[in-house]
Amino acid sequence: DGLTQIDAEFLLRLELTDLDFQSWKKGGGQSITSWINFFNRISYLIATEIVTCPWPDDRKALLEKLVDVGTILLERGNFQSLF
């Protein structure tokens, strides 16, 4: 629920001008830039958690949990957090 709610809030803040001509590359589009930064932080956190698991069984359990979370996100149509 948490990731889906956060993504919904980011989506509601987007304006069409954020998407015009890739304005985020030119210093504009703060809403989409914030969303991209959030996505990158989550990706980094997940990758860090996986590679810092000291034991293979712990890593396996974490990956299984992440697959379960991914399944829930897929069922909810939350493709942003799914990736």
Side-chain angles (χ1 to χ4, degrees):
D1 283 338
L3 286 175
T4 301
Q5 180 63 36
I6 292 169
D7 279 336
E9 289 172 14
F10 277 116
L11 185 60
L12 290 173
R13 281 189 246 151
L14 283 181
E15 297 182 22
L16 287 178
T17 56
D18 291 336
L19 306 174
D20 286 346
F21 306 106
Q22 299 179 344
S23 65
W24 63 91
K25 291 184 177 181
K26 301 171 190 152
Q30 295 304 313
S31 296
I32 198 162
T33 302
S34 296
W35 200 2
I36 291 167
N37 289 336
F38 177 75
F39 174 82
N40 289 339
R41 285 194 315 268
I42 296 295
S43 298
Y44 178 78
L45 172 68
I46 290 170
T48 301
E49 290 295 318
I50 292 169
V51 300
T52 58
C53 278
W55 306 106
D57 289 340
D58 293 343
R59 192 173 303 126
K60 178 185 173 198
L62 176 61
L63 288 170
E64 288 172 346
K65 182 169 180 98
L66 291 172
V67 168
D68 291 343
V69 170
T71 301
I72 292 167
L73 291 170
L74 182 62
E75 289 170 357
R76 293 183 179 174
N78 185 346
F79 302 107
Q80 173 66 22
S81 291
L82 180 63
F83 292 106

